């Protein structure tokens, strides 16, 4: 989805109630991304490696979602 947006440094997907799941590697290509705001959605699952290759990410907002638990490997590649 974002593979052509290599210079994007901030992405806000806040309050888009259709977002219920964050898939593996969905943010691939966002190598300069520093801020990702996906709060206030209906997210109930974040798959392993969802944030992989976001080495420059400094802020991640996940507040006000339906996340009950996180699997191992969700934050692979962030630190």
């Amino acid at each position: 989805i974002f593979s052509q947006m290599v210079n994007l440094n901030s992405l806000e997907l806040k309050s888009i109630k259709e977002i219920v799941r964050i898939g593996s590697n969905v943010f691939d290509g966002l190598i300069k991304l520093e801020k990702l705001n996906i709060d206030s959605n209906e997210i109930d699952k974040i798959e392993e490696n969802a944030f992989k290759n976001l080495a420059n990410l400094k802020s991640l907002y996940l507040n006000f979602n339906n996340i009950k638990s996180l699997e191992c490997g969700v934050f692979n590649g962030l630190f």
Side-chain angles (χ1 to χ4, degrees):
I1 297 173
F2 302 105
S3 62
Q4 302 299 316
M5 300 179 181
V6 295
N7 292 313
L8 193 68
N9 63 17
S10 179
L11 180 61
E12 184 160 324
L13 299 171
K14 182 178 179 180
S15 299
I16 302 172
K17 299 301 182 182
E18 290 82 17
I19 299 177
V20 296
R21 189 163 297 209
I22 303 296
S24 295
N25 303 308
V26 71
F27 299 109
D28 270 3
L30 297 178
I31 57 174
K32 294 184 180 180
L33 195 68
E34 294 181 2
K35 177 184 173 188
L36 176 58
N37 185 344
I38 50 177
D39 73 12
S40 301
N41 287 296
E42 301 292 328
I43 299 169
D44 61 8
K45 181 176 174 107
I46 302 175
E47 295 180 6
E48 184 177 352
N49 295 317
F51 306 109
K52 190 175 180 182
N53 300 320
L54 295 181
N56 290 312
L57 196 67
K58 294 176 176 51
S59 302
L60 174 61
Y61 301 91
L62 294 167
N63 303 334
F64 308 110
N65 279 290
N66 295 325
I67 301 166
K68 303 284 188 254
S69 64
L70 295 170
E71 297 177 18
C72 291
V74 167
F75 299 109
N76 284 346
L78 288 182
F79 46 88

